[in-house]
Amino acid sequence: MKTVNELKMTVDSKSVNEGFSRVAIGAFIACLDPDIEELNDVKTAVSEAVTNAIVHGYREKAGKIYITVSISDNNIVRIRIRDKGVGIEDIPKAMEPLFTTAGSERAGLGFAVMESFMDSVRVTSQLGRGTTVTLKKRIWGKNS
Amino acid sequence: MPVKIETQGKSIRACIQGDIDHHSAFMIRKAVDAEISRRRPRLLILDFGEVTFMDSSGIGLVMGRYKLMKGFGGEIRVENLSAGAYRVMRLAGLERLGEIKQKEIV
């Protein structure tokens, strides 16, 4: 498995960049000719991960979000979204559906959406150092 | 404005436009809630027909409005969901809270 194309970008932890990040990543993977559902799955998962970095990682304060997207020769898209925020104390708990620390307007389903829309979701975190979410999905494309 | 609000008798129809994410949900919520507290409708219809994208912020938006309406005995209906938005809503089990309808395929 060889990386054939890679995108690296850094965005400020501002909510306006949620839309920018998912659209930019959607455009980057367009070369794999994803169908509407695959494209929407990736954009939705990215939106969840970037929102988590802003709302939880940085607690809506200023920070940077580091995004790497790589496409491998077997059409697997790997998206790494990293923040240098507060970190997660208990990862399994944070990933439980309906668990949230952000109040009644957040459903606590961000990780559930990522897990349901991507092939794999991996989370690593260190308290006080930040969190990295790695999302993977094989794009079969319109011709599959 | 990301939402167009129409009053029809005892019901309010809120047509949401564009992307629903954590960034836009705040404005949508503010506009819809202001109208709910002003009119106290029996039914709130959230029309997703012009929604171009939705992540789990859409679930929070529906759940929050459901609680608000339920507080004074009102009901909620969600209409014209795209296939993608419908999948996100189903994931949250929102069909248990009210009527959730997909866009009709023409």
Side-chain angles (χ1 to χ4, degrees):
Chain A
M1 192 177 83
K2 211 176 79 192
T3 298
V4 291
N5 202 5
E6 191 178 66
L7 162 76
K8 275 183 197 279
M9 60 181 191
T10 304
V11 295
D12 280 343
S13 63
K14 291 181 175 159
S15 64
V16 69
N17 287 328
E18 294 156 7
F20 171 76
S21 303
R22 64 177 177 260
V23 170
I25 293 171
F28 183 69
I29 66 164
C31 57
L32 296 172
D33 205 18
D35 65 26
I36 293 171
E37 195 175 317
E38 287 172 325
L39 184 63
N40 192 58
D41 288 355
V42 171
K43 285 169 74 176
T44 309
V46 166
S47 198
E48 301 294 348
V50 172
T51 302
N52 276 355
I54 295 169
V55 174
H56 300 287
Y58 291 116
R59 305 264 160 95
E60 314 235 11
K61 294 194 178 78
K64 301 277 183 198
I65 302 169
Y66 307 88
I67 300 173
T68 308
V69 186
S70 52
I71 296 172
S72 62
D73 54 4
N74 53 359
N75 289 7
I76 289 176
V77 175
R78 180 176 167 276
I79 303 163
R80 204 179 65 170
I81 295 165
R82 185 164 69 96
D83 68 65
K84 292 183 181 173
V86 297
I88 303 170
E89 199 175 345
D90 184 346
I91 295 173
K93 181 93 192 157
M95 293 181 81
E96 260 173 36
L98 304 175
F99 175 80
T100 183
T101 52
S104 68
E105 289 295 334
R106 305 289 318 156
L109 287 163
F111 281 121
V113 169
M114 289 183 238
E115 283 179 324
S116 146
F117 286 16
M118 301 297 281
D119 295 340
S120 82
V121 179
R122 201 168 61 106
V123 183
T124 57
S125 190
Q126 254 187 304
L127 269 186
R129 301 287 293 272
T131 300
T132 303
V133 174
T134 308
L135 307 165
K136 275 188 201 169
K137 189 178 181 75
R138 183 190 290 268
I139 302 297
W140 298 94
K142 282 180 202 141
N143 299 322
S144 65
Chain B
M1 200 59 191
V3 58
K4 236 175 11 197
I5 297 172
E6 295 161 20
T7 309
Q8 304 161 328
K10 292 272 179 203
S11 67
I12 291 176
R13 174 180 288 272
C15 303
I16 304 166
Q17 293 164 321
D19 290 6
I20 303 179
D21 59 11
H22 157 251
H23 179 71
S24 68
F26 174 75
M27 286 296 287
I28 299 168
R29 194 159 73 220
K30 231 172 96 178
V32 175
D33 288 2
E35 200 62 19
I36 292 176
S37 47
R38 202 160 33 229
R39 310 231 176 242
R40 295 259 174 161
R42 279 208 196 116
L43 174 69
L44 169 70
I45 303 162
L46 292 173
D47 187 337
F48 279 64
E50 289 172 44
V51 170
T52 42
F53 170 85
M54 187 191 99
D55 66 14
S56 71
S57 308
I59 302 172
L61 187 72
V62 173
M63 272 168 47
R65 307 306 60 74
Y66 168 77
K67 283 181 201 154
L68 197 61
M69 290 296 294
K70 188 105 179 161
F72 53 88
E75 280 175 39
I76 187 167
R77 195 195 295 159
V78 178
E79 288 186 0
N80 293 320
L81 286 166
S82 68
Y86 187 70
R87 273 177 69 207
V88 177
M89 293 281 182
R90 283 291 302 267
L91 203 68
L94 284 188
E95 69 275 15
R96 291 194 303 264
L97 304 186
E99 220 177 312
I100 306 272
K101 280 190 198 160
Q102 261 200 88
K103 205 178 280 185
E104 274 174 43
I105 296 151
V106 237

